Amino acid sequence: MSEPWTLHPDRALPADPATRDLAREIYAATKDLPLVSMHGHVPVEWFAQDTSFGDPAQLFVVPDHYLTRMLVSQGETLPRLGVGSTADEAVETDPREIWRRFCAGWKHFRGTPTRYWLEHELVEIFGVTQRPSAETADAIYDQVAARIAEPDFRPRALLDRFRIEVIATTDPAWATLDDHAKLAADGYGERVLPTFRPDPLLHPDRPTWREDLERLAAASGVDVSSYDGYLEALRTQRERFVAAGARATDHGHLFADTTPLDDAEARRVFDAALAGTVTAAEAQAFSGHMLFQMAAMSAEDGLVMQLHPGVLRDHASAPFAAFGPDKGYDIPVVTEFTRSLRPVLDAFGHHPRFRMIAFTVDEDVYSRELAPLAGVYPALRLGAPWWFLDAPDAMRRFREAATETAGFSNMSGFVDDTRAFCSIPARHDLARRVDAGYLARLVAEHRLDLDEALDTAVDLAYRLPLAAYERR
Amino acid sequence: MSEPWTLHPDRALPADPATRDLAREIYAATKDLPLVSMHGHVPVEWFAQDTSFGDPAQLFVVPDHYLTRMLVSQGETLPRLGVGSTADEAVETDPREIWRRFCAGWKHFRGTPTRYWLEHELVEIFGVTQRPSAETADAIYDQVAARIAEPDFRPRALLDRFRIEVIATTDPAWATLDDHAKLAADGYGERVLPTFRPDPLLHPDRPTWREDLERLAAASGVDVSSYDGYLEALRTQRERFVAAGARATDHGHLFADTTPLDDAEARRVFDAALAGTVTAAEAQAFSGHMLFQMAAMSAEDGLVMQLHPGVLRDHASAPFAAFGPDKGYDIPVVTEFTRSLRPVLDAFGHHPRFRMIAFTVDEDVYSRELAPLAGVYPALRLGAPWWFLDAPDAMRRFREAATETAGFSNMSGFVDDTRAFCSIPARHDLARRVDAGYLARLVAEHRLDLDEALDTAVDLAYRLPLAAYERR
Amino acid sequence: MSEPWTLHPDRALPADPATRDLAREIYAATKDLPLVSMHGHVPVEWFAQDTSFGDPAQLFVVPDHYLTRMLVSQGETLPRLGVGSTADEAVETDPREIWRRFCAGWKHFRGTPTRYWLEHELVEIFGVTQRPSAETADAIYDQVAARIAEPDFRPRALLDRFRIEVIATTDPAWATLDDHAKLAADGYGERVLPTFRPDPLLHPDRPTWREDLERLAAASGVDVSSYDGYLEALRTQRERFVAAGARATDHGHLFADTTPLDDAEARRVFDAALAGTVTAAEAQAFSGHMLFQMAAMSAEDGLVMQLHPGVLRDHASAPFAAFGPDKGYDIPVVTEFTRSLRPVLDAFGHHPRFRMIAFTVDEDVYSRELAPLAGVYPALRLGAPWWFLDAPDAMRRFREAATETAGFSNMSGFVDDTRAFCSIPARHDLARRVDAGYLARLVAEHRLDLDEALDTAVDLAYRLPLAAYERR
């Protein structure tokens, strides 16, 4: 590579010249639109405290399981990448050393979105002009470290620089939302929104369930020693989230099942869980029942219900024991929606205050299940390609598989779903480019007029996420 | 949109200029071929009575669940679109008002085949030059209404105008086929063919089963109070269909299962069903058993057996209760073919008089199951992309996923499967364009010679459906 | 077709001119690399005996179930194609007649990889200049027959001509490896490698199981009348394979399940199998248990473990009874990996001596399961598109679906998996072209730099298969 490392203005646009010209024109209509980030995992305390991001390894490598999983697959270990906390692990503490290992493994990211996002970030935000490698690692480290230390590189300043109009965090159901209160007091109440995530409370066989239940009781001030108290505590906390500006709830279940139990059975399972005698089958049924309850509450309080099913968490036991969850060992499984969502959609699919946004990591369901469902139920929106599918070719496949049945209007628009704050502009930009390419093809094939494509591009990038996440 | 609304001659052809030139040449070889419509749902009485189509809303909107489901998903209601019959629904009766609501929702069809077909129909058949919208609705309504009222716009005249060489209707197994007899008397006996569809009779747990059984008895003149009589009645009606020119049967089951029961068990379940004591599991097993019986009868009488499995009907209970079936709430589910078809293919897969054409709305099975099966069993043909998959990108995926294993010769060619009579030319034309694009790519990639592509295009558009649906 | 039948230099490269130019440049970097054929089914005796290939029908038609299945699907019969051995079948014995039937059916291969490979072979290896047809069959037959008879057309000479650096055969676990010993004595010990395939021994409900067990005992010299002896005999034979240069084992199971049984249960099932009382469920559990045992042995002896699950063998009973296995009636089924591989990956997924290469004929699992797994577990590599998926469009879909999550480094590179020796150059060449086209698109979309694409192309074609199949 003799030329300097730069971002090509046409990157991720279709190669065919006729289509590319159209794609450029369509992308131009969205590239400068503000970012609407309605689902993500940036820690709220970053915005509340507004302090510096630390060093390049802490910013880019250590917390990003997309990065570390790829390096692990090629022989690195999590401790050598700075991940780990147990006493007997020799966890690397030198950020420069971690950075070197990351740069030495740069080759392995070829063809992945991680590579695409990082290239965008390093060039655009940090002004890096050399491709990462063992040779260039130190120079890039110094450049990035210096940039991080600048005063305009703190989270709130980046909100402006990144043109983020609104960003949602994800918060446990028992959150007191103090950080969000501080942000509201500082004038960020409309810009940084909480999201209600009750997963651990809805799975009564998780080891931490009773502990988390105590947290819910403490936060809500409601006695949770009965099933009815438990529902009341959840409802109370949802109201707190609504008052703090929340637009949505978020639910990550292994199954999409939403079959309700009758009240007596739900009470019995809850009591068994409290007594420590719940079976795995009962707990699973209870978690489906609770999705139905969450939908019922959404139909009352208008919080948009996000469902992210189908990921088997912590596939390997040793890394989980040593390093905890979210370390790259979450693997998708077959997911069923048609039968699973039927109870909720039959009950609330036409309810004016209910909205569900469904995500999947099983792309088979786009054309078979989710697009047909979203194409008829007014309450259902099809979420953006999620997790492993948030990549150029996968996003294109999503458009091709889902649009013909669901149309554009039944989609949520892009959500970045990330904890990597600096990657947010890159992710939205990539999505806009991929959508421009897809729309350009429809125009080039005379399946859509150009004015319609321009209008749809703005819908997908801006209007649809705002509309889909409007509390109803 | 400043230019008038027209159909581009290259629509739905590949954008890449080199491939497009080839696609144009290939498409030119098929665009004027007669239409062979071997599977569809146009009511036979339209041809028998040959009366006018009514108003634009009745022709385009009210009976088309593709249209109404999309509008419902965006907040319209079925009654406001003229759908409904129960007393307490305020069903819109003004066709112009229905038409306005449809035109106002035009945007929501972007990217869907419905949009593509409608544009073709409105421009080509009705001479419309304005894109539908709230503003243009009335003018288009008047133009379409005037055209519908013209004498050459009756069904039989359109058969000629659309160059439909042959069209199959779908008729209940208990049909007397009087309309087909009238058509035969009028010289249309070779052109409008019946298709034998026994679904309700093969599912003994459906609420109407005993009622439908009475219809079968009445039509066939055979006593159906025993399992053997029931088989005999079915056989008798199949003979009536054969005599009336039928080429095929059609079977829409939730599962593709074809496992036969032994005779004693089949009799027992039949008797239980008559007695009203059949279980859901027994009924499901019986429906699989009856698919096997239908295959056995096909091997006798040579009727081609069409199988359309994998759709969960009437997903939402309230719309079903209010408006009945076929209102857009039928949703695909995972479908299995390899094990499910094994009994039938093992028994009849090499039988010289047996032919099955298998369709799917679960596109995962193209490369995994249906193409491998069709690529070895002489009795099996792979049906055209069905229902939600009858769209430009989905049809392209079908070609790409199935051809490499099944080849072209093991496919049925296009079937339009529609009740929207005026959409038939648009659907066939679109399929020919998509096939031309696929074949053009094979030629451009030097995987096929141009003369072969031209020959194959004619096969797919014309020869293969005629051959696949030839009674054996 | 007026022009002579030739191979276009750009065949199977992308049609878009901008991408094609890049693809040409990338393909040029790999087209002359030696072939690394680490998984295949060429009979070892061909190399050991180094005799002539017989006639065109025996070389091309009779043993190739890709060919015969397609002709059967269009009405030919296996006996008429020279397949069969039972007394009451009129098996065609005239090779010229078989060849004529194959050439007459040439049209049916349009769009299939069989056609692509055959065209490459006939033109490139045999100098054929006419497209096969009923008219040209005899002339082509004579030309091919003459070429086969030439002295430089024996297997060892072709190893040189085809530039095959190394080729692995597939050998039963009870093989004495005498042919491989002869090859070693002749200086081919590093070039023709055995592969350990124990399938029949791991499925105790197969009719030949006890017979095959005797073979294992005879080969290994170990008493297999107990479960522990059985394991010891397998271990002994693995050592023999290691000593003969084997790099890998190969496992074709219906399910990918790897759940171990406890020792007592494994012993109990083994004893039941010996006694002939094993149930189908026990046998299935035992086969999963034995995959776990094979993984454990691989972690000891370093043999790379290849897993090829998900094919239902011998779908039709009559052809199986008449002609035996591998006659084109093996059909894929849904395959699950995430949960199925969990026991093995949890136990050995980070083990330095363990490597698994996983293949699939269910392409749904690329993005959902295999790429996410390969993208984190250092022991797992994602195998090349297998069997029905070893075709231009299917290989492209594999790259598009798997790369974004797994990267290139976690893939095995191409394996040809064929018994059709003369097709090996065509298959590798096609894979290199498809990979060049995919990489060219990444470059054209500015997602990868050209120098990276060139380096990756060589990885995929040459370095990765060598590395993936290195005994650990």
PDB file of all heavy atoms in Angstrom, chain C residues 437-461:
ATOM      1  N   GLY C 437     -13.670 -12.786  -7.666  1.00  0.00           N
ATOM      2  CA  GLY C 437     -14.805 -11.898  -7.893  1.00  0.00           C
ATOM      3  C   GLY C 437     -15.310 -11.277  -6.604  1.00  0.00           C
ATOM      4  O   GLY C 437     -15.629 -10.082  -6.553  1.00  0.00           O
ATOM      5  N   TYR C 438     -15.370 -12.074  -5.558  1.00  0.00           N
ATOM      6  CA  TYR C 438     -15.809 -11.534  -4.262  1.00  0.00           C
ATOM      7  C   TYR C 438     -14.824 -10.492  -3.747  1.00  0.00           C
ATOM      8  O   TYR C 438     -15.209  -9.384  -3.320  1.00  0.00           O
ATOM      9  CB  TYR C 438     -15.963 -12.675  -3.262  1.00  0.00           C
ATOM     10  CG  TYR C 438     -16.246 -12.210  -1.860  1.00  0.00           C
ATOM     11  CD1 TYR C 438     -17.463 -11.607  -1.539  1.00  0.00           C
ATOM     12  CD2 TYR C 438     -15.303 -12.353  -0.855  1.00  0.00           C
ATOM     13  CE1 TYR C 438     -17.725 -11.171  -0.251  1.00  0.00           C
ATOM     14  CE2 TYR C 438     -15.558 -11.926   0.434  1.00  0.00           C
ATOM     15  CZ  TYR C 438     -16.770 -11.336   0.739  1.00  0.00           C
ATOM     16  OH  TYR C 438     -17.030 -10.891   2.003  1.00  0.00           O
ATOM     17  N   LEU C 439     -13.545 -10.817  -3.792  1.00  0.00           N
ATOM     18  CA  LEU C 439     -12.528  -9.870  -3.318  1.00  0.00           C
ATOM     19  C   LEU C 439     -12.525  -8.612  -4.184  1.00  0.00           C
ATOM     20  O   LEU C 439     -12.345  -7.503  -3.677  1.00  0.00           O
ATOM     21  CB  LEU C 439     -11.156 -10.541  -3.330  1.00  0.00           C
ATOM     22  CG  LEU C 439     -10.970 -11.626  -2.260  1.00  0.00           C
ATOM     23  CD1 LEU C 439      -9.760 -12.512  -2.589  1.00  0.00           C
ATOM     24  CD2 LEU C 439     -10.811 -10.998  -0.872  1.00  0.00           C
ATOM     25  N   ALA C 440     -12.727  -8.786  -5.487  1.00  0.00           N
ATOM     26  CA  ALA C 440     -12.767  -7.617  -6.373  1.00  0.00           C
ATOM     27  C   ALA C 440     -13.900  -6.688  -5.983  1.00  0.00           C
ATOM     28  O   ALA C 440     -13.750  -5.462  -6.014  1.00  0.00           O
ATOM     29  CB  ALA C 440     -12.932  -8.072  -7.822  1.00  0.00           C
ATOM     30  N   ARG C 441     -15.012  -7.247  -5.611  1.00  0.00           N
ATOM     31  CA  ARG C 441     -16.120  -6.389  -5.186  1.00  0.00           C
ATOM     32  C   ARG C 441     -15.772  -5.617  -3.919  1.00  0.00           C
ATOM     33  O   ARG C 441     -16.053  -4.423  -3.793  1.00  0.00           O
ATOM     34  CB  ARG C 441     -17.403  -7.206  -4.983  1.00  0.00           C
ATOM     35  CG  ARG C 441     -18.605  -6.318  -4.693  1.00  0.00           C
ATOM     36  CD  ARG C 441     -19.930  -7.051  -4.799  1.00  0.00           C
ATOM     37  NE  ARG C 441     -20.089  -8.091  -3.814  1.00  0.00           N
ATOM     38  CZ  ARG C 441     -20.472  -7.873  -2.540  1.00  0.00           C
ATOM     39  NH1 ARG C 441     -20.718  -6.641  -2.122  1.00  0.00           N
ATOM     40  NH2 ARG C 441     -20.596  -8.875  -1.699  1.00  0.00           N
ATOM     41  N   LEU C 442     -15.126  -6.302  -2.975  1.00  0.00           N
ATOM     42  CA  LEU C 442     -14.703  -5.590  -1.758  1.00  0.00           C
ATOM     43  C   LEU C 442     -13.775  -4.427  -2.111  1.00  0.00           C
ATOM     44  O   LEU C 442     -13.849  -3.355  -1.514  1.00  0.00           O
ATOM     45  CB  LEU C 442     -14.015  -6.554  -0.788  1.00  0.00           C
ATOM     46  CG  LEU C 442     -14.858  -7.670  -0.176  1.00  0.00           C
ATOM     47  CD1 LEU C 442     -14.067  -8.378   0.918  1.00  0.00           C
ATOM     48  CD2 LEU C 442     -16.165  -7.140   0.401  1.00  0.00           C
ATOM     49  N   VAL C 443     -12.882  -4.662  -3.077  1.00  0.00           N
ATOM     50  CA  VAL C 443     -11.969  -3.589  -3.482  1.00  0.00           C
ATOM     51  C   VAL C 443     -12.744  -2.495  -4.209  1.00  0.00           C
ATOM     52  O   VAL C 443     -12.568  -1.299  -3.935  1.00  0.00           O
ATOM     53  CB  VAL C 443     -10.833  -4.148  -4.364  1.00  0.00           C
ATOM     54  CG1 VAL C 443      -9.950  -3.009  -4.887  1.00  0.00           C
ATOM     55  CG2 VAL C 443      -9.995  -5.157  -3.585  1.00  0.00           C
ATOM     56  N   ALA C 444     -13.616  -2.904  -5.110  1.00  0.00           N
ATOM     57  CA  ALA C 444     -14.378  -1.909  -5.879  1.00  0.00           C
ATOM     58  C   ALA C 444     -15.268  -1.070  -4.968  1.00  0.00           C
ATOM     59  O   ALA C 444     -15.529   0.097  -5.256  1.00  0.00           O
ATOM     60  CB  ALA C 444     -15.228  -2.608  -6.944  1.00  0.00           C
ATOM     61  N   GLU C 445     -15.707  -1.668  -3.872  1.00  0.00           N
ATOM     62  CA  GLU C 445     -16.523  -0.914  -2.903  1.00  0.00           C
ATOM     63  C   GLU C 445     -15.652  -0.278  -1.824  1.00  0.00           C
ATOM     64  O   GLU C 445     -16.160   0.181  -0.807  1.00  0.00           O
ATOM     65  CB  GLU C 445     -17.576  -1.840  -2.282  1.00  0.00           C
ATOM     66  CG  GLU C 445     -18.591  -2.344  -3.300  1.00  0.00           C
ATOM     67  CD  GLU C 445     -19.629  -3.281  -2.692  1.00  0.00           C
ATOM     68  OE1 GLU C 445     -19.567  -3.546  -1.476  1.00  0.00           O
ATOM     69  OE2 GLU C 445     -20.502  -3.748  -3.446  1.00  0.00           O
ATOM     70  N   HIS C 446     -14.354  -0.303  -2.026  1.00  0.00           N
ATOM     71  CA  HIS C 446     -13.415   0.341  -1.096  1.00  0.00           C
ATOM     72  C   HIS C 446     -13.552  -0.191   0.323  1.00  0.00           C
ATOM     73  O   HIS C 446     -13.394   0.532   1.286  1.00  0.00           O
ATOM     74  CB  HIS C 446     -13.608   1.863  -1.138  1.00  0.00           C
ATOM     75  CG  HIS C 446     -13.554   2.408  -2.526  1.00  0.00           C
ATOM     76  ND1 HIS C 446     -12.372   2.532  -3.227  1.00  0.00           N
ATOM     77  CD2 HIS C 446     -14.532   2.795  -3.375  1.00  0.00           C
ATOM     78  CE1 HIS C 446     -12.639   3.008  -4.435  1.00  0.00           C
ATOM     79  NE2 HIS C 446     -13.932   3.168  -4.555  1.00  0.00           N
ATOM     80  N   ARG C 447     -13.839  -1.468   0.407  1.00  0.00           N
ATOM     81  CA  ARG C 447     -13.896  -2.113   1.722  1.00  0.00           C
ATOM     82  C   ARG C 447     -12.609  -2.880   1.993  1.00  0.00           C
ATOM     83  O   ARG C 447     -12.445  -3.449   3.088  1.00  0.00           O
ATOM     84  CB  ARG C 447     -15.104  -3.058   1.782  1.00  0.00           C
ATOM     85  CG  ARG C 447     -16.422  -2.305   1.776  1.00  0.00           C
ATOM     86  CD  ARG C 447     -17.603  -3.157   1.353  1.00  0.00           C
ATOM     87  NE  ARG C 447     -17.765  -4.338   2.181  1.00  0.00           N
ATOM     88  CZ  ARG C 447     -18.626  -5.321   1.914  1.00  0.00           C
ATOM     89  NH1 ARG C 447     -19.384  -5.257   0.816  1.00  0.00           N
ATOM     90  NH2 ARG C 447     -18.725  -6.350   2.707  1.00  0.00           N
ATOM     91  N   LEU C 448     -11.741  -2.976   1.005  1.00  0.00           N
ATOM     92  CA  LEU C 448     -10.478  -3.696   1.138  1.00  0.00           C
ATOM     93  C   LEU C 448      -9.530  -3.070   0.124  1.00  0.00           C
ATOM     94  O   LEU C 448      -9.948  -2.667  -0.962  1.00  0.00           O
ATOM     95  CB  LEU C 448     -10.716  -5.181   0.802  1.00  0.00           C
ATOM     96  CG  LEU C 448      -9.703  -6.209   1.278  1.00  0.00           C
ATOM     97  CD1 LEU C 448      -9.693  -6.297   2.802  1.00  0.00           C
ATOM     98  CD2 LEU C 448     -10.039  -7.588   0.693  1.00  0.00           C
ATOM     99  N   ASP C 449      -8.248  -2.970   0.478  1.00  0.00           N
ATOM    100  CA  ASP C 449      -7.278  -2.448  -0.479  1.00  0.00           C
ATOM    101  C   ASP C 449      -6.835  -3.574  -1.409  1.00  0.00           C
ATOM    102  O   ASP C 449      -6.896  -4.757  -1.055  1.00  0.00           O
ATOM    103  CB  ASP C 449      -6.081  -1.844   0.256  1.00  0.00           C
ATOM    104  CG  ASP C 449      -6.467  -0.596   1.029  1.00  0.00           C
ATOM    105  OD1 ASP C 449      -7.298   0.188   0.521  1.00  0.00           O
ATOM    106  OD2 ASP C 449      -5.954  -0.409   2.152  1.00  0.00           O
ATOM    107  N   LEU C 450      -6.362  -3.198  -2.574  1.00  0.00           N
ATOM    108  CA  LEU C 450      -6.014  -4.208  -3.571  1.00  0.00           C
ATOM    109  C   LEU C 450      -4.884  -5.118  -3.084  1.00  0.00           C
ATOM    110  O   LEU C 450      -4.912  -6.336  -3.311  1.00  0.00           O
ATOM    111  CB  LEU C 450      -5.644  -3.533  -4.895  1.00  0.00           C
ATOM    112  CG  LEU C 450      -5.260  -4.475  -6.032  1.00  0.00           C
ATOM    113  CD1 LEU C 450      -6.363  -5.480  -6.331  1.00  0.00           C
ATOM    114  CD2 LEU C 450      -4.938  -3.678  -7.302  1.00  0.00           C
ATOM    115  N   ASP C 451      -3.894  -4.559  -2.413  1.00  0.00           N
ATOM    116  CA  ASP C 451      -2.806  -5.425  -1.930  1.00  0.00           C
ATOM    117  C   ASP C 451      -3.314  -6.441  -0.914  1.00  0.00           C
ATOM    118  O   ASP C 451      -2.846  -7.577  -0.860  1.00  0.00           O
ATOM    119  CB  ASP C 451      -1.672  -4.574  -1.347  1.00  0.00           C
ATOM    120  CG  ASP C 451      -2.054  -3.868  -0.063  1.00  0.00           C
ATOM    121  OD1 ASP C 451      -3.181  -3.306   0.001  1.00  0.00           O
ATOM    122  OD2 ASP C 451      -1.260  -3.879   0.895  1.00  0.00           O
ATOM    123  N   GLU C 452      -4.278  -6.024  -0.125  1.00  0.00           N
ATOM    124  CA  GLU C 452      -4.872  -6.968   0.824  1.00  0.00           C
ATOM    125  C   GLU C 452      -5.651  -8.061   0.092  1.00  0.00           C
ATOM    126  O   GLU C 452      -5.612  -9.235   0.478  1.00  0.00           O
ATOM    127  CB  GLU C 452      -5.814  -6.229   1.771  1.00  0.00           C
ATOM    128  CG  GLU C 452      -5.123  -5.214   2.666  1.00  0.00           C
ATOM    129  CD  GLU C 452      -6.135  -4.415   3.493  1.00  0.00           C
ATOM    130  OE1 GLU C 452      -7.013  -3.763   2.888  1.00  0.00           O
ATOM    131  OE2 GLU C 452      -6.045  -4.449   4.719  1.00  0.00           O
ATOM    132  N   ALA C 453      -6.372  -7.666  -0.933  1.00  0.00           N
ATOM    133  CA  ALA C 453      -7.146  -8.648  -1.697  1.00  0.00           C
ATOM    134  C   ALA C 453      -6.224  -9.666  -2.362  1.00  0.00           C
ATOM    135  O   ALA C 453      -6.528 -10.868  -2.383  1.00  0.00           O
ATOM    136  CB  ALA C 453      -8.000  -7.932  -2.748  1.00  0.00           C
ATOM    137  N   LEU C 454      -5.133  -9.199  -2.901  1.00  0.00           N
ATOM    138  CA  LEU C 454      -4.190 -10.120  -3.542  1.00  0.00           C
ATOM    139  C   LEU C 454      -3.615 -11.094  -2.524  1.00  0.00           C
ATOM    140  O   LEU C 454      -3.508 -12.299  -2.775  1.00  0.00           O
ATOM    141  CB  LEU C 454      -3.062  -9.323  -4.217  1.00  0.00           C
ATOM    142  CG  LEU C 454      -3.498  -8.493  -5.443  1.00  0.00           C
ATOM    143  CD1 LEU C 454      -2.432  -7.456  -5.798  1.00  0.00           C
ATOM    144  CD2 LEU C 454      -3.780  -9.407  -6.631  1.00  0.00           C
ATOM    145  N   ASP C 455      -3.271 -10.591  -1.366  1.00  0.00           N
ATOM    146  CA  ASP C 455      -2.730 -11.441  -0.305  1.00  0.00           C
ATOM    147  C   ASP C 455      -3.787 -12.444   0.175  1.00  0.00           C
ATOM    148  O   ASP C 455      -3.506 -13.633   0.373  1.00  0.00           O
ATOM    149  CB  ASP C 455      -2.275 -10.536   0.843  1.00  0.00           C
ATOM    150  CG  ASP C 455      -1.668 -11.310   1.988  1.00  0.00           C
ATOM    151  OD1 ASP C 455      -0.650 -12.009   1.757  1.00  0.00           O
ATOM    152  OD2 ASP C 455      -2.194 -11.231   3.120  1.00  0.00           O
ATOM    153  N   THR C 456      -5.011 -11.974   0.325  1.00  0.00           N
ATOM    154  CA  THR C 456      -6.085 -12.855   0.786  1.00  0.00           C
ATOM    155  C   THR C 456      -6.392 -13.933  -0.248  1.00  0.00           C
ATOM    156  O   THR C 456      -6.680 -15.086   0.106  1.00  0.00           O
ATOM    157  CB  THR C 456      -7.356 -12.025   1.091  1.00  0.00           C
ATOM    158  OG1 THR C 456      -7.049 -11.085   2.123  1.00  0.00           O
ATOM    159  CG2 THR C 456      -8.503 -12.916   1.546  1.00  0.00           C
ATOM    160  N   ALA C 457      -6.340 -13.582  -1.513  1.00  0.00           N
ATOM    161  CA  ALA C 457      -6.609 -14.574  -2.563  1.00  0.00           C
ATOM    162  C   ALA C 457      -5.625 -15.742  -2.463  1.00  0.00           C
ATOM    163  O   ALA C 457      -6.013 -16.909  -2.597  1.00  0.00           O
ATOM    164  CB  ALA C 457      -6.527 -13.909  -3.937  1.00  0.00           C
ATOM    165  N   VAL C 458      -4.367 -15.424  -2.230  1.00  0.00           N
ATOM    166  CA  VAL C 458      -3.366 -16.485  -2.084  1.00  0.00           C
ATOM    167  C   VAL C 458      -3.615 -17.271  -0.795  1.00  0.00           C
ATOM    168  O   VAL C 458      -3.461 -18.495  -0.768  1.00  0.00           O
ATOM    169  CB  VAL C 458      -1.948 -15.890  -2.138  1.00  0.00           C
ATOM    170  CG1 VAL C 458      -0.900 -16.969  -1.904  1.00  0.00           C
ATOM    171  CG2 VAL C 458      -1.712 -15.197  -3.484  1.00  0.00           C
ATOM    172  N   ASP C 459      -3.992 -16.584   0.251  1.00  0.00           N
ATOM    173  CA  ASP C 459      -4.374 -17.299   1.477  1.00  0.00           C
ATOM    174  C   ASP C 459      -5.446 -18.335   1.182  1.00  0.00           C
ATOM    175  O   ASP C 459      -5.321 -19.514   1.541  1.00  0.00           O
ATOM    176  CB  ASP C 459      -4.926 -16.314   2.514  1.00  0.00           C
ATOM    177  CG  ASP C 459      -3.841 -15.580   3.284  1.00  0.00           C
ATOM    178  OD1 ASP C 459      -2.648 -15.936   3.135  1.00  0.00           O
ATOM    179  OD2 ASP C 459      -4.182 -14.649   4.027  1.00  0.00           O
ATOM    180  N   LEU C 460      -6.520 -17.890   0.552  1.00  0.00           N
ATOM    181  CA  LEU C 460      -7.669 -18.769   0.351  1.00  0.00           C
ATOM    182  C   LEU C 460      -7.320 -19.942  -0.558  1.00  0.00           C
ATOM    183  O   LEU C 460      -7.768 -21.067  -0.348  1.00  0.00           O
ATOM    184  CB  LEU C 460      -8.844 -17.977  -0.249  1.00  0.00           C
ATOM    185  CG  LEU C 460      -9.456 -16.915   0.667  1.00  0.00           C
ATOM    186  CD1 LEU C 460     -10.494 -16.089  -0.101  1.00  0.00           C
ATOM    187  CD2 LEU C 460     -10.110 -17.562   1.887  1.00  0.00           C
ATOM    188  N   ALA C 461      -6.525 -19.667  -1.587  1.00  0.00           N
ATOM    189  CA  ALA C 461      -6.236 -20.704  -2.573  1.00  0.00           C
ATOM    190  C   ALA C 461      -5.158 -21.672  -2.097  1.00  0.00           C
ATOM    191  O   ALA C 461      -5.150 -22.837  -2.486  1.00  0.00           O
ATOM    192  CB  ALA C 461      -5.803 -20.058  -3.886  1.00  0.00           C
TER     193      ALA C 461
END
